[in-house]
Amino acid sequence: MSELSVLFGRYNVKLYNFFLHLTFDPAVSEDLTQNLFYRIIRYRHTFDASAGNFRSWMYRIARNTHLDFCKQQRTYPLTSQDADPPALSNDGYGEDDFEKLERAIGLLDPDQRELIVLSRYQGLKYEEIARLRELSVAAVKVRMHRAILQLRALYFKQQ
Amino acid sequence: MIDAQVEELPSTVRQTLERHIEGCEQCAALRTELDHLSRLFKTAPGATPGPELEKQFLQMLRAEEGAQKVAVQPAHRLIFWRNIAAAVILLTAGIGIGWVLSGRHAEKQDRPLAVKPSGKGSDTLLFSLLKEESASERIKAVNYAEEMSSPDQRVISALVTTLDHDKNANVRLACLYSLARFQDNPYVREALVNSLPRQTEPIVQIVLINLLTEMKEPRIKRSLQDIISNDKTPKEVKNIAEKGLRTM
């Protein structure tokens, strides 16, 4: 059980941000993070190290938690036009830059948004994303290229 | 160019790319923009969840620890030792749960009067929070109820309704812990008995069975038998129900 506390300490902020970038809603993101850790506690015995590393297993549960939420809401993820972007502090760039980025991410389709969040914010490698999404690495690369180019267009169009 | 931002390209590929960008204005502009986005991703400060998240996580962990204590069974021992172990586990779990629940009760009693949020204002806040879409807010409402030294019947009824009908297992679990303080109240006792067949989440079932078993509540025999005979009941819950039935 102490390992679970360590795990929570290590990942709770990162996973909260994962949900926040997908939902743009801090309260919902806290709920989803809480549900995710509930599932981790409850189903930790189902983790099979031979089937992949723990991080992949955890993100798989995180994705399912988010998809279940979307089904419950009977809507696909919000766009950033539906909700205020999270307040992000400035760190080298103007706050406007980060808000523009959040808006652009919110305008992507859900599949592209998830890819960007997993790769660029959560730091998952293409191989990990491929396992998670049950795609080939080549397919992930193709989709990522499209997503980044779409994001670039949406971001710079705002200037 | 996009791959180069997240992975190391072979040196020959990188050199070819650099040579091309030097001579191609369009690709140089693209790279400038991609680098800008890449730096934004790297420097974007993350948001921090509220303190409630950790509090709720620890609450879930404690519930799981309690459930695990009673669910543990030696797999390859003689029947005699298995029975001894089961008895010890049951006793430990009973004491553990009793200790947790009575400790929570004592803790509340020891608190100074200043922390009692009683009165209509806090009741209104509680009822309003219980209707929130967010599970975190509903757990906050249950925590408000815990702060009340002697909640009135409306508050108790709201907790019972939430225990029976809330869609979130963590909210139901929080309600269960809160109601356990009033296990001597006949209304609460009956509500806990009636709630058992409604619960489908294993962790809530386990904690509720342990509580009612500790209370030596004979009216749950039928519910325990139904849980045991239900094919969909997880093995851990069946084990707890069988042990509970044996102690009746």
Side-chain angles (χ1 to χ4, degrees):
Chain A
M1 286 293 178
S2 62
E3 293 91 340
L4 289 169
S5 293
V6 174
L7 196 72
F8 178 84
R10 186 177 298 167
Y11 287 112
N12 81 86
V13 174
K14 207 162 179 63
L15 290 163
Y16 168 74
N17 278 280
F18 169 71
F19 291 124
L20 189 58
H21 282 121
L22 294 177
T23 65
F24 299 98
D25 186 327
V28 166
S29 301
E30 279 200 18
D31 279 355
L32 294 179
T33 312
Q34 184 196 337
N35 285 342
L36 166 64
F37 277 101
Y38 172 76
R39 291 180 186 195
I40 289 176
I41 290 173
R42 191 73 194 85
Y43 303 111
R44 65 189 184 281
H45 303 299
T46 65
F47 168 60
D48 177 7
S50 63
N53 64 25
F54 182 79
R55 193 164 78 146
S56 299
W57 181 77
M58 188 175 67
Y59 275 102
R60 189 183 297 272
I61 300 179
R63 280 194 77 219
N64 290 338
T65 303
H66 179 242
L67 290 174
D68 288 348
F69 164 74
C70 295
K71 279 181 205 158
Q72 269 178 12
Q73 300 295 304
R74 291 180 185 169
T75 147
Y76 217 72
L78 295 170
T79 69
S80 61
Q81 289 171 321
D82 301 321
D84 291 335
L88 297 172
S89 64
N90 187 348
D91 186 12
Y93 281 91
E95 196 164 323
D96 284 356
D97 289 320
F98 293 115
E99 285 183 3
K100 266 171 51 186
L101 181 63
E102 288 297 315
R103 270 198 297 276
I105 288 174
L107 293 170
L108 290 172
D109 76 48
D111 183 66
Q112 291 184 328
R113 187 189 311 167
E114 190 190 64
L115 277 176
I116 298 269
V117 171
L118 287 171
S119 168
R120 292 334 200 234
Y121 282 122
Q122 300 291 312
L124 266 66
K125 294 185 184 309
Y126 288 163
E127 289 79 8
E128 288 178 287
I129 297 174
R131 272 200 302 272
L132 199 63
R133 302 281 300 264
E134 296 178 350
L135 294 168
S136 67
V137 174
V140 169
K141 281 188 180 181
V142 169
R143 291 181 188 209
M144 185 62 77
H145 286 199
R146 287 186 192 140
I148 288 283
L149 292 176
Q150 178 69 13
L151 179 71
R152 167 193 166 237
L154 291 167
Y155 177 86
F156 287 101
K157 201 165 69 178
Q158 297 178 69
Q159 282 186 326
Chain B
M1 216 184 297
I2 290 168
D3 292 344
Q5 294 182 318
V6 289
E7 56 185 35
E8 203 59 43
L9 295 180
S11 60
T12 50
V13 176
R14 185 171 286 278
Q15 283 164 9
T16 309
L17 181 67
E18 292 300 332
R19 271 200 302 275
H20 172 78
I21 289 172
E22 275 173 24
C24 177
E25 210 172 291
Q26 203 179 353
C27 287
L30 174 63
R31 178 150 77 186
T32 304
E33 292 182 350
L34 291 179
D35 284 349
H36 177 88
L37 289 177
S38 181
R39 280 196 298 275
L40 271 181
F41 283 126
K42 284 175 185 160
T43 56
T48 310
E52 281 296 309
L53 184 66
E54 185 168 11
K55 198 173 155 192
Q56 285 155 17
F57 169 76
L58 293 173
Q59 191 180 20
M60 287 191 288
L61 209 54
R62 277 198 300 274
E64 178 67 7
E65 276 172 340
Q68 206 180 35
K69 276 181 194 167
V70 288
V72 170
Q73 269 203 349
H76 307 292
R77 304 286 172 112
L78 295 171
I79 290 173
F80 171 76
W81 288 111
R82 193 173 62 190
N83 288 341
I84 294 287
V88 170
I89 290 164
L90 259 182
L91 185 64
T92 312
I95 293 169
I97 288 172
W99 179 79
V100 169
L101 297 177
S102 61
R104 285 155 64 88
H105 187 57
E107 191 184 312
K108 299 292 180 258
Q109 284 180 329
D110 290 346
R111 287 184 187 171
L113 288 172
V115 299
K116 288 182 191 168
S118 56
K120 286 210 182 278
S122 56
D123 285 8
T124 309
L125 179 61
L126 182 145
F127 293 128
S128 138
L129 282 174
L130 277 178
K131 288 178 191 158
E132 285 287 330
E133 183 58 31
S134 152
S136 303
E137 295 299 308
R138 297 201 300 281
I139 286 178
K140 261 187 217 167
V142 177
N143 290 339
Y144 273 125
E146 288 215 14
E147 294 293 330
M148 297 174 183
S149 56
S150 50
D152 64 20
Q153 187 58 35
R154 283 193 323 141
V155 172
I156 296 278
S157 298
L159 289 176
V160 168
T161 307
T162 308
L163 171 67
D164 285 344
H165 300 292
D166 198 283
K167 61 187 176 187
N168 184 290
N170 299 322
V171 178
R172 296 201 300 275
L173 202 54
C175 266
L176 181 50
Y177 277 121
S178 191
L179 285 168
R181 292 189 301 147
F182 310 107
Q183 56 184 267
D184 296 333
N185 175 326
Y187 171 79
V188 172
R189 199 177 176 101
E190 187 168 351
L192 292 173
V193 170
N194 293 337
S195 185
L196 184 56
R198 295 176 194 272
Q199 301 299 335
T200 51
E201 189 66 34
I203 199 156
V204 181
Q205 286 178 309
I206 287 172
V207 175
L208 187 52
I209 292 171
N210 281 331
L211 175 65
L212 289 164
T213 305
E214 193 209 3
M215 289 160 60
K216 303 275 181 216
E217 175 54 63
R219 287 175 291 177
I220 60 165
K221 277 186 185 171
R222 178 66 191 271
S223 298
L224 291 179
Q225 283 160 348
D226 289 345
I227 287 171
I228 293 164
S229 61
N230 187 341
D231 293 340
K232 289 178 183 168
T233 306
K235 194 178 155 197
E236 297 88 351
V237 181
K238 278 189 182 181
N239 288 341
I240 301 296
E242 281 165 359
K243 284 173 193 166
L245 209 51
R246 283 200 295 271
T247 60
M248 286 289 150

